[in-house]
Amino acid sequence: MASFGPNGTENEDSLPPPPPVVPSDVVPVKAEPEKKKASRFPIARRGLASKGTKLQLLTNHYRVNVANTDGHFYQYSVALFYDDGRPVEGKGVGRKLLDRVHETYDSELNGKDFAYDGEKTLFTLGSLARNKLEFTVVLEDVIATRNNGNCSPEGNGELNESDKKRMRRPNRSKAFKVELSYASKIPLQAIANALRGQESENYQEAIRVLDIILRQHAAKQGCLLVRQSFFHNNPKNFADVGGGVLGCRGFHSSFRTTQSGLSLNIDVSTTMIITPGPVVDFLISNQNVRDPFSLDWAKAKRTLKNLRIKSSPSNQEFKITGLSELPCKDQMFTLKKKGGDDDTEEEVTVYDYFVNIRKIDLRYSGDLPCINVGKPKRPTYIPLELCSLVSLQRYTKALSTLQRSSLVEKSRQKPQERMRVLSDALKSSNYGSEPMLRNCGISISPNFTEVEGRVLQAPRLKFGNGEDFNPRNGRWNFNNKKIVKPTKIERWAVVNFSARCDIRGLVRDLIKCGGMKGIVIDQPFDVFEENGQFRRAPPVVRVEKMFELVQSKLPGAPQFLLCLLPERKNSDLYGPWKKKNLAEFGIVTQCIAPTRVNDQYLTNVLLKINAKLGGLNSMLGVEHSPSIPIVSRAPTIIIGMDVSHGSPGQTDIPSIAAVVSSREWPLISKYRASVRTQSPKMEMIDNLFKKVSDKEDEGIMRELLLDFYTSSGNRKPDNIIIFRDGVSESQFNQVLNIELDQIIEACKFLDEKWNPKFLVIVAQKNHHTKFFQPGAPDNVPPGTVIDNKICHPRNYDFYMCAHAGMIGTSRPTHYHVLLDEIGFSPDDLQELVHSLSYVYQRSTTAISVVAPICYAHLAATQMGQFMKFEDKSETSSSHGGSGIPAPPVPQLPRLQDKVSSSMFFC
């Protein structure tokens, strides 16, 4: 187990010596500032849990046998050059070149196969003849980008200027030099060691080689590769989600070390691609207009940049660099004519050139911009209607709400269907034919792995009037039940942003519904209707005007505002409205866009309002009595941490870090949040401890710890339980050594003598392990937990499906216990995690991941709406490497004290 070293505050003299590190005969020395402190590593498993009803399950892991464990993978660095010595910068050409090396130089390679990652690394099983090898190969008709100063470094194997001059030559072939230099060797034995729980650096490298072999196997079949997911160019895998975007179904495939040996994990995967075909059709669909003459060309230019097209009639492939300034009929270029001794130049329009000189009929392109596939200084124009988008090009912008729901609907699969699809995928991938896998002696079992699950009993819930209830199938409801801690809603009003609905009826029903649940709701002070003249104004102006109206009529600040929005989801008014209420006035607010108003709808709205105003809808029986193992015995704070990023295509939108913490111990159902922005795509939270002077810390943790103290009868937590979302295995050490260090520093800054104990758990949702009930059509029952066979051979992890999967196939949450100084038994820990899926105040169902993590997502999303970050990355070329320092990250406004410790995100 890792030990805690000194906690690095400025004044080293005041530090206690670090506790002894095992082994115990080593004498601890006083830490010098420059000495590194002991790193923490994830702890080993402490035994298996046993509670719950046993259940036999299948999982989408296939047993892998490795016969050859004596061999070594040899790693070589790959360098590619043109025949004149310039490096090849394009990405698209590497695989073609190495395939050609393989065909041409079989004997020099000792007949060896290799695994190439498509970029700068190659692996062979056993060594090549020499440590440095050079090959010359010739490729016919390759479209490789040369980096001669004016070339984009991320070419995908397209034409550049000098190549285009050769276009008229038959059989354009080109010579390249390929250099391989020995880098390192990796023993296959490392995999066997890892399976025994003895991890070395090499084991992850060895697994990476096996994964690269899978990627190469898919690349040979012409797949789009997205990390370890592979997508075939087969229209039957495409689903139109609107806006010129298709969901493309493929497969994830990767090797995992597990308790029962090496396994191959295969799952269904979906990525977004641009609809292939005529560029004009894509643009019309993308912008949702009737014809090409209604297109917004500035937007089109951003959308098309860097996409690949084929032009007719030559069927050549190009990359789009932009659009022409003028329409095709007016855009001039210089045509060089060869005539006898002297070459003449004449200015012609693109339209004339194609129609009159090349005799190609153009129906509608004359009045539209041309596609530019040239360089900034030397454009090359092609009329729009001659351009078609190539298939399998990723779409990386964020999907709209409609696209997202369409995608979910079209890609969901019932468990039985998914099992069938996965079995077929393994058969059709034909890994048995992959020579590199054969040489490693790898064989893959065709059957799903059997595992034993356990189903935990749902925790008993407490409602109003002392009523208890046992949820069934992960669900409950409020029919004939009272809320456990209701609030009273007084001094409130309704504002209506031009939503069409019977407001008087809505208010009447809301008051009546509240009464049945135990919430006393006074009559609202007033209903404020938006002035019709502002309906077309920008959202911020509409919110301003509405607030002016409310302030002019109300005698004082309201306790609560109910806001009616005209459209469900994605209303432009939502962000400005929330910001105005929470950051400027400290008013609790609930937005609704009522379409079908019934008792169920109103109950759900009231659950949210009650939680925001400080009430509790239901609580755990063990929380009420307090009898939760460990947590109820000593003051314990539960923390949920998450960082949300922009979509993959947005490179300069700040990431948002949200940390929520429990309050009013011994409760574990009430939380508050602290949200900050940080650098784009940065996964580690960097504001947990933020020392601004000797006396001041402006970090997130101080705010949360002080709130726990004041809300829990002036008690400091003895135990700090941290749930961290969204980090991959490669970042576990950073969570333990960077984030946890900051949290400890924040504690020490509050009180040097305070030494709370920590439990750190990472929750992962975006993995590819699924569970199935053999011979049953349903998902696994809520409360299913798995901690054997396919879990990690050494580390402390388990899978849990706390929720009832109603549609599609349930995705379990994969929990990794990185540190436990508190000393939970495996049963108590799994019981706590399970219980935390039942305290989510917004719904009457168990949720799939612990509530604090869900709340952190909600808080990040809501505060992110405060600053609708416009994506600048489409227009600016700020893709790093330009030497320009990154602009400072815009800060989020602070919430008013009246609402900062509320569940405003609920």
Side-chain angles (χ1 to χ4, degrees):
M1 234 206 69
S3 69
F4 276 44
N7 295 312
T9 37
E10 302 294 303
N11 180 2
E12 41 138 345
D13 296 326
S14 64
L15 284 176
V21 181
V22 189
S24 55
D25 55 347
V26 177
V27 183
V29 291
K30 186 166 186 293
E32 297 300 323
E34 60 271 15
K35 283 217 176 118
K36 279 191 69 162
K37 48 190 226 328
S39 289
R40 301 181 195 96
F41 297 102
I43 61 171
R45 185 180 301 282
R46 294 189 175 159
L48 301 173
S50 58
K51 273 190 185 167
T53 315
K54 291 191 167 38
L55 180 67
Q56 292 307 312
L57 300 170
L58 297 173
T59 179
N60 56 338
H61 284 240
Y62 299 88
R63 185 71 197 268
V64 176
N65 199 27
V66 188
N68 168 7
T69 53
D70 322 332
H72 284 76
F73 286 126
Y74 281 71
Q75 178 178 335
Y76 294 87
S77 301
V78 179
L80 309 173
F81 302 93
Y82 292 97
D83 48 2
D84 58 7
R86 279 193 313 251
V88 175
E89 299 286 342
K91 276 197 184 136
V93 77
R95 287 195 192 274
K96 288 182 192 153
L97 287 174
L98 279 136
D99 284 348
R100 183 51 55 92
V101 166
H102 195 248
E103 291 159 21
T104 319
Y105 293 98
D106 191 53
S107 56
E108 285 87 336
L109 293 167
N110 306 349
K112 278 198 190 307
D113 295 293
F114 48 67
Y116 174 49
D117 72 352
E119 299 199 11
K120 299 204 163 113
T121 316
L122 173 147
F123 300 90
T124 56
L125 192 60
S127 71
L128 296 174
R130 292 194 302 286
N131 280 353
K132 194 155 178 139
L133 291 160
E134 278 192 21
F135 305 101
T136 303
V137 288
V138 173
L139 284 188
E140 293 80 44
D141 204 44
V142 64
I143 311 175
T145 37
R146 322 168 53 135
N147 198 356
N148 44 14
N150 62 354
C151 158
S152 99
E154 38 191 46
N156 259 316
E158 291 80 14
L159 276 180
N160 68 352
E161 296 313 313
S162 45
D163 289 333
K164 284 189 205 126
K165 289 184 198 142
R166 292 197 202 90
M167 265 168 65
R168 297 178 193 83
R169 287 189 211 160
N171 204 1
R172 300 181 345 272
S173 58
K174 218 158 171 359
F176 294 88
K177 222 164 58 188
V178 177
E179 279 182 11
L180 305 181
S181 340
Y182 169 76
S184 67
K185 68 178 184 177
I186 302 155
L188 269 164
Q189 186 61 42
I191 296 176
N193 294 348
L195 294 170
R196 289 200 298 273
Q198 308 163 346
E199 281 188 21
S200 58
E201 284 296 295
N202 296 9
Y203 118 84
Q204 276 170 324
E205 283 297 301
I207 296 284
R208 187 171 84 99
V209 180
L210 296 181
D211 283 344
I212 285 170
I213 298 171
L214 298 181
R215 278 175 64 85
Q216 173 172 285
H217 185 75
K220 283 180 186 160
Q221 298 168 2
C223 290
L224 163 67
L225 311 181
V226 181
R227 293 183 295 278
Q228 285 301 127
S229 293
F230 316 127
F231 303 91
H232 287 269
N233 188 12
N234 180 347
K236 84 171 194 296
N237 297 336
F238 301 163
D240 190 348
V241 299
V245 182
L246 303 178
C248 175
R249 215 171 66 207
F251 297 97
H252 166 93
S253 185
S254 66
F255 287 99
R256 322 270 312 159
T257 44
T258 71
Q259 288 167 24
S260 56
L262 191 64
S263 73
L264 178 70
N265 177 205
I266 295 188
D267 193 23
V268 176
S269 179
T270 304
T271 193
M272 309 318 298
I273 61 170
I274 302 272
T275 306
V279 171
V280 70
D281 293 354
F282 163 71
L283 288 175
I284 286 170
S285 172
N286 181 252
Q287 297 190 16
N288 195 15
V289 294
R290 280 204 313 281
D291 55 52
F293 303 102
S294 324
L295 287 166
D296 168 346
W297 290 102
K299 193 173 167 191
K301 181 177 176 177
R302 291 199 301 270
T303 311
L304 293 175
K305 194 167 168 59
N306 292 335
L307 292 179
R308 299 192 315 279
I309 54 155
K310 276 204 156 82
S311 70
S312 61
S314 67
N315 214 23
Q316 266 191 305
E317 204 173 292
F318 301 97
K319 184 195 267 187
I320 299 177
T321 52
L323 297 173
S324 61
E325 296 292 318
L326 300 170
C328 185
K329 278 193 166 139
D330 305 326
Q331 183 66 53
M332 308 292 281
F333 75 103
T334 310
L335 181 64
K336 295 193 169 92
K337 283 191 165 174
K338 293 205 171 4
D341 299 333
D342 54 334
D343 291 358
T344 57
E345 291 187 356
E346 85 174 277
E347 294 287 310
V348 293
T349 67
V350 177
Y351 185 84
D352 281 343
Y353 170 73
F354 278 90
V355 173
N356 300 327
I357 299 175
R358 303 231 353 229
K359 302 287 187 258
I360 295 169
D361 186 30
L362 295 181
R363 297 194 320 279
Y364 57 82
S365 296
D367 299 315
L368 303 173
C370 307
I371 299 283
N372 180 8
V373 296
K375 295 288 172 283
K377 299 261 181 343
R378 304 204 36 187
T380 303
Y381 297 122
I382 306 174
L384 191 65
E385 67 193 81
L386 301 183
C387 300
S388 272
L389 289 158
V390 175
S391 191
L392 293 186
Q393 298 193 72
R394 277 185 81 195
Y395 177 81
T396 55
K397 297 192 173 44
L399 294 181
S400 70
T401 312
L402 279 169
Q403 286 173 320
R404 189 173 299 279
S405 58
S406 168
L407 175 69
V408 168
E409 197 178 319
K410 290 177 176 171
S411 54
R412 56 168 82 116
Q413 291 170 313
K414 283 272 173 226
Q416 294 295 344
E417 184 193 350
R418 187 169 282 233
M419 286 177 81
R420 186 181 50 71
V421 168
L422 293 177
S423 296
D424 293 349
L426 180 61
K427 282 195 201 85
S428 64
S429 59
N430 192 12
Y431 287 132
S433 70
E434 175 53 56
M436 277 293 280
L437 292 179
R438 273 212 311 270
N439 300 342
C440 300
I442 283 182
S443 55
I444 299 165
S445 151
N447 304 319
F448 285 80
T449 298
E450 294 176 19
V451 292
E452 184 178 85
R454 289 170 293 107
V455 184
L456 303 181
Q457 194 180 347
R460 209 168 163 71
L461 296 181
K462 197 120 199 105
F463 295 92
N465 293 349
E467 190 185 345
D468 285 4
F469 184 75
N470 284 333
R472 290 186 202 94
N473 195 26
R475 311 176 84 76
W476 62 96
N477 60 45
F478 273 94
N479 298 347
N480 312 318
K481 293 187 194 69
K482 294 265 196 288
I483 276 172
V484 71
K485 289 191 182 174
T487 49
K488 184 167 190 236
I489 303 179
E490 42 199 8
R491 299 199 330 278
W492 70 289
V494 183
V495 302
N496 180 19
F497 284 102
S498 310
R500 285 198 285 279
C501 100
D502 166 16
I503 296 180
R504 300 283 161 207
L506 177 76
V507 169
R508 184 190 63 235
D509 293 347
L510 193 68
I511 291 173
K512 183 174 150 208
C513 184
M516 313 252 302
K517 309 287 177 276
I519 300 177
V520 178
I521 308 175
D522 291 351
Q523 285 295 329
F525 180 84
D526 204 347
V527 173
F528 297 101
E529 294 281 357
E530 181 174 36
N531 183 331
Q533 73 187 72
F534 300 126
R535 204 183 292 175
R536 297 263 174 275
V540 177
V541 175
R542 292 175 70 181
V543 168
E544 265 317 319
K545 295 293 179 196
M546 181 62 87
F547 249 90
E548 285 169 16
L549 177 64
V550 172
Q551 280 178 298
S552 69
K553 296 280 173 66
L554 286 186
Q559 177 203 17
F560 169 70
L561 288 176
L562 181 67
C563 170
L564 274 60
L565 295 174
E567 57 269 289
R568 281 191 71 228
K569 306 274 183 203
N570 286 11
S571 170
D572 290 341
L573 292 159
Y574 181 86
W577 175 256
K578 287 284 183 189
K579 182 178 175 185
K580 193 80 166 155
N581 279 271
L582 297 172
E584 292 182 33
F585 289 96
I587 298 169
V588 173
T589 172
Q590 175 64 51
C591 294
I592 58 175
T595 39
R596 291 196 305 274
V597 177
N598 54 22
D599 191 58
Q600 180 65 58
Y601 179 84
L602 292 171
T603 301
N604 288 344
V605 169
L606 282 166
L607 292 180
K608 285 160 64 73
I609 296 171
N610 187 53
K612 287 176 181 180
L613 288 172
L616 260 187
N617 300 325
S618 60
M619 64 198 291
L620 301 170
V622 286
E623 194 178 6
H624 183 259
S625 57
S627 56
I628 306 166
I630 297 178
V631 174
S632 299
R633 284 207 296 274
T636 301
I637 186 172
I638 298 177
I639 285 172
M641 308 193 338
D642 178 49
V643 178
S644 58
H645 309 288
S647 65
Q650 298 172 316
T651 48
D652 36 25
I653 283 194
S655 291
I656 297 181
V659 184
V660 304
S661 60
S662 61
R663 54 202 310 271
E664 295 180 32
W665 179 82
L667 292 183
I668 60 169
S669 289
K670 272 196 168 179
Y671 292 83
R672 56 105 56 178
S674 178
V675 185
R676 311 277 173 96
T677 48
Q678 56 186 40
S679 308
K681 307 282 186 237
M682 181 161 119
E683 190 46 69
M684 289 300 118
I685 299 178
D686 70 351
N687 274 322
L688 292 165
F689 175 64
K690 190 179 178 187
K691 189 172 167 184
V692 287
S693 74
D694 286 349
K695 296 273 186 291
E696 271 180 299
D697 161 21
E698 288 181 356
I700 292 173
M701 284 311 299
R702 180 186 181 88
E703 187 184 318
L704 301 180
L705 291 167
L706 288 173
D707 175 78
F708 178 89
Y709 181 78
T710 52
S711 70
S712 307
N714 292 353
R715 289 187 191 84
K716 286 199 285 275
D718 294 351
N719 302 319
I720 297 181
I721 297 176
I722 298 166
F723 287 96
R724 177 68 161 95
D725 186 35
V727 289
S728 61
E729 225 163 306
S730 59
Q731 296 166 315
F732 287 177
N733 288 346
Q734 289 175 284
V735 170
L736 280 177
N737 294 294
I738 299 174
E739 289 186 340
L740 184 56
D741 266 0
Q742 283 193 45
I743 292 171
I744 291 168
E745 283 194 65
C747 294
K748 291 284 178 206
F749 199 80
L750 280 165
D751 177 356
E752 186 62 44
K753 298 188 192 65
W754 176 33
N755 287 310
K757 293 188 172 123
F758 288 92
L759 168 63
V760 180
I761 300 177
V762 167
Q764 291 175 334
K765 287 279 288 193
N766 55 352
H767 56 83
H768 287 277
T769 297
K770 302 283 191 301
F771 297 103
F772 306 93
Q773 293 198 65
D778 304 324
N779 274 307
V780 297
T784 300
V785 60
I786 294 96
D787 60 3
N788 61 67
K789 233 169 174 185
I790 58 146
C791 290
H792 197 281
R794 171 196 172 273
N795 293 359
Y796 188 176
D797 66 329
F798 59 91
Y799 291 90
M800 186 179 287
C801 239
H803 66 300
M806 303 315 256
I807 47 178
T809 305
S810 291
R811 176 184 295 196
T813 300
H814 192 183
Y815 291 101
H816 302 259
V817 184
L818 304 189
L819 176 70
D820 177 12
E821 301 174 327
I822 302 171
F824 278 89
S825 72
D827 275 316
D828 285 349
L829 184 63
Q830 289 174 15
E831 203 72 73
L832 175 68
V833 168
H834 187 222
S835 296
L836 284 169
S837 300
Y838 279 82
V839 301
Y840 188 58
Q841 297 297 307
R842 282 165 48 126
S843 74
T844 55
T845 58
I847 53 175
S848 65
V849 66
V850 290
I853 279 181
C854 262
Y855 289 145
H857 279 300
L858 290 173
T861 307
Q862 186 169 131
M863 298 278 289
Q865 298 283 330
F866 280 21
M867 324 172 61
K868 267 290 195 209
F869 299 109
E870 281 313 307
D871 182 16
K872 305 187 288 292
S873 59
E874 297 180 318
T875 45
S876 68
S877 56
S878 61
H879 290 286
S882 52
I884 304 163
V889 177
Q891 297 300 306
L892 288 167
R894 300 302 289 261
L895 300 188
Q896 290 289 322
D897 291 347
K898 281 185 287 190
V899 291
S900 62
S901 58
S902 74
M903 291 182 55
F904 67 87
F905 44 80
C906 209

